[in-house]
Amino acid sequence: MTTLGDSLLASGISRRAFLKFCTALTSLMALPPGMAPAVAQALAKAKRPSVIWLSFQECTGCTESLTRTSSPTLENLILDMVSLDYHHTLQAAAGFAAEEAREHAMKEFDGKYLLLVDGSIPTGDGGIYGTWGGESFVDILEQSVKGAAAVVAIGSCASFGGLPKANPNPTGARAVSDLVKNKPVINVPGCPPIAVVMTGVLAHYLTFGRIPELDAQGRPVAFYGETIHDRCYRRPFYDQGKFAKTFDDEGARSGWCLYELGCKGPITHNACATVKWNAGTSFPIQSGHGCLGCSEPDFWDKGSFYKALATTSWGDAATLGAAAAVGVAAGAAAAWMARGRQDRIAKEK
Amino acid sequence: MNALDRIGVKVVAAADLPTGNVKALLHELAELLDAWLQRGEVASIDLRSLPLSLGDYEELRAALGEGAVSASVEAIGASEVRESRYPGVWRVTHRNEAGEVVADLIEVCALPEILRAPVEDAAGGLIRLKETLQ
């Protein structure tokens, strides 16, 4: 099997271009830029992995997010580097031919393929709420996991159950990590996840041949290590106590903090505030709407999107104060004041 | 004046205003430049990993100013290399073939790596040069 380095050089890419590509990849993976030479060294030796993508209870938004990325060169190069052997939406084959492709890849790359899953898995009533080819999603997942090197749960549904799991969860929807216990599971939540976060995780596996460092929720620390609030450009207004009270008041027009309008930024771990969306154009808060917390477990069932955090069931004021203290800018005093402010807002509502 | 213009909205693009982060960044650069001079440690900062507003980028550009060297590199898209008014501090912006920024760095070193000719490319060049001489 040829290495990625060989195939890139064979396609006429100069060493200088390859090094530049690795610099861009290092930035994409949110690694320190000093690691670019190490990335180049590892990537030159990396093998092209087989990827099987299973779609269960999902809306295809995650695939849309991934395939509609607007930086064609880098994303395409990464996608070209993997052998995407099975993907419902993207593959030309259908029916038995499609299932054959999956079974063939599973056999040929046994123990080595990367399994990507979007959507939750309905486990209620024997798993009858989701089937293809007469087999339940539960069974298909179980079969496909057996020979996988690792499983990547793409999106909030696969990571945490997402909308299908929303109360009263009529289909008994579960997250991938609820069902897969004997393989490493990387959660890449978001509704949908940011495209470069998905490709960044793939690139990390591709480059280093192992999964990235994960947090307690199984999310890659490089992308989910900080909250939206920590990196929000409106953060200074939060620290100054300047809040928009309605969506059309002076505060909203002046770009003040959206905390009181229900922004879940302080407890939401994601890269929206730095990576942003649509080729770095903007993100919800920049567009004047609070964060919904879509990359956090059960965000759908935790109270109104438009109520301040302290009045919802996202956690008590003490944990919210702790979340605020994580910010580099906020010292202990600032966090204490912020907690007082949250308590006050909670009482007013 | 069309109907949209008559809506009384005051647009304040707060995302465009400077956040004050550039000052912190310049302090870090001073540290890095000192470390390079004292101990020969080269360093680089990935600007896109920092919460910088459009106003910050403008402020940073003005703060770094123009130095003695500016160069462009064509390698799967254009890359711009500009030395700042502080020798040894470089702004390196990599773009893809569609012209989008794929990496935006400040490097503290004698010469950014992208400007050096890699030996692999030089070896290929030597083969081509010899072919033209035959």
Side-chain angles (χ1 to χ4, degrees):
Chain A
M1 200 193 284
T2 56
T3 66
L4 289 170
D6 293 339
S7 56
L8 279 174
L9 289 174
S11 64
I13 286 181
S14 69
R15 176 73 186 169
R16 183 182 262 134
F18 176 65
L19 291 176
K20 170 175 165 174
F21 171 71
C22 291
T23 302
L25 201 59
T26 306
S27 173
L28 173 73
M29 289 189 280
L31 294 172
M35 283 193 72
V39 168
Q41 209 174 10
L43 203 58
K45 286 188 233 146
K47 302 270 198 300
R48 191 167 179 251
S50 168
V51 170
I52 294 174
W53 182 312
L54 303 178
S55 297
F56 295 131
Q57 282 179 305
E58 50 85 45
C59 69
T60 315
C62 298
T63 296
E64 287 289 334
S65 175
L66 181 66
T67 55
R68 300 285 179 262
T69 56
S70 59
S71 17
T73 313
L74 190 60
E75 317 296 62
N76 284 0
L77 270 173
I78 294 163
L79 288 177
D80 286 349
M81 281 181 191
V82 303
S83 170
L84 190 55
D85 292 320
Y86 183 87
H87 187 301
H88 271 177
T89 314
L90 303 179
Q91 71 195 101
F96 292 115
E99 297 315 308
E100 261 172 40
R102 179 169 64 95
E103 281 156 22
H104 176 77
M106 280 165 54
K107 208 174 283 171
E108 190 179 341
F109 304 105
D110 188 33
K112 293 187 196 124
Y113 61 85
L114 204 54
L115 187 69
L116 270 57
V117 177
D118 67 330
S120 52
I121 301 98
T123 61
D125 298 322
I128 58 157
Y129 296 108
T131 65
W132 74 62
E135 286 185 273
S136 73
F137 290 172
V138 178
D139 290 342
I140 291 163
L141 178 67
E142 197 184 319
Q143 289 163 22
S144 307
V145 159
K146 268 183 204 150
V151 186
V152 186
I154 299 278
S156 291
C157 297
S159 298
F160 305 129
L163 301 197
K165 193 186 159 212
N167 189 38
N169 190 6
T171 64
R174 311 280 304 270
V176 170
S177 58
D178 290 334
L179 303 175
V180 177
K181 297 294 182 194
N182 54 351
K183 299 278 171 165
V185 177
I186 308 166
N187 285 333
V188 185
C191 193
I194 303 171
V196 296
V197 173
M198 290 186 266
T199 44
V201 170
L202 284 184
H204 193 285
Y205 182 78
L206 204 63
T207 308
F208 301 110
R210 55 184 152 79
I211 65 170
E213 188 196 343
L214 306 177
D215 70 4
Q217 302 267 27
R219 303 174 291 202
V221 174
F223 298 108
Y224 297 91
E226 284 168 326
T227 65
I228 301 288
H229 187 64
D230 290 338
R231 292 305 191 94
C232 183
Y233 76 94
R234 295 196 192 206
R235 173 65 186 260
F237 294 120
Y238 176 90
D239 295 333
Q240 292 161 23
K242 289 180 175 170
F243 298 98
K245 308 278 183 185
T246 65
F247 280 106
D248 58 355
D249 70 0
E250 195 63 19
R253 293 178 199 185
S254 303
W256 289 358
C257 177
L258 299 168
Y259 179 87
E260 293 192 23
L261 287 171
C263 182
K264 306 299 183 287
I267 43 71
T268 303
H269 295 79
N270 209 335
C272 304
T274 46
V275 178
K276 301 191 181 177
W277 290 81
N278 298 320
T281 304
S282 182
F283 71 113
I285 293 166
Q286 194 172 334
S287 307
H289 194 286
C291 167
L292 301 182
C294 80
S295 56
E296 293 295 320
D298 304 325
F299 77 99
W300 196 255
D301 282 330
K302 289 188 173 172
S304 171
F305 290 154
Y306 299 102
K307 290 252 171 72
L309 256 180
T311 66
T312 60
S313 49
W314 282 89
D316 56 25
T319 55
L320 295 177
V326 172
V328 182
W336 180 81
M337 282 166 61
R339 192 161 66 210
R341 189 176 301 134
Q342 284 162 345
D343 288 342
R344 205 166 56 245
I345 294 164
K347 277 185 201 120
E348 283 168 8
K349 297 269 162 166
Chain B
M1 198 186 212
N2 66 27
L4 283 177
D5 295 332
R6 285 197 294 273
I7 300 172
V9 174
K10 181 184 76 178
V11 178
V12 178
D16 297 349
L17 300 176
T19 61
N21 283 339
V22 168
K23 199 176 173 196
L25 186 56
L26 293 175
H27 275 286
E28 189 178 353
L29 280 178
E31 288 290 318
L32 294 176
L33 196 52
D34 192 45
W36 179 54
L37 290 169
Q38 299 293 328
R39 300 185 294 278
E41 293 169 6
V42 299
S44 44
I45 296 172
D46 184 350
L47 291 177
R48 295 194 309 166
S49 71
L50 304 175
L52 299 178
S53 67
L54 290 177
D56 287 333
Y57 275 102
E58 201 49 44
E59 200 178 310
L60 180 66
R61 199 183 55 79
L64 292 181
E66 295 289 326
V69 183
S70 93
S72 62
V73 179
E74 261 313 313
I76 47 169
S79 294
E80 299 135 34
V81 181
R82 290 180 303 275
E83 193 174 31
S84 73
R85 66 160 65 99
Y86 310 105
V89 177
W90 307 77
R91 174 87 180 267
V92 181
T93 308
H94 295 299
R95 294 174 187 278
N96 63 18
E97 284 161 317
E100 292 163 347
V101 174
V102 292
D104 199 357
L105 311 169
I106 293 182
E107 299 193 18
V108 180
C109 55
L111 186 71
E113 207 56 39
I114 190 82
L115 291 179
R116 292 177 194 275
V119 288
E120 292 90 338
D121 291 352
L126 177 62
I127 293 169
R128 291 199 307 279
L129 178 60
K130 281 181 174 168
E131 279 169 3
T132 64
L133 293 174
Q134 273 170 4

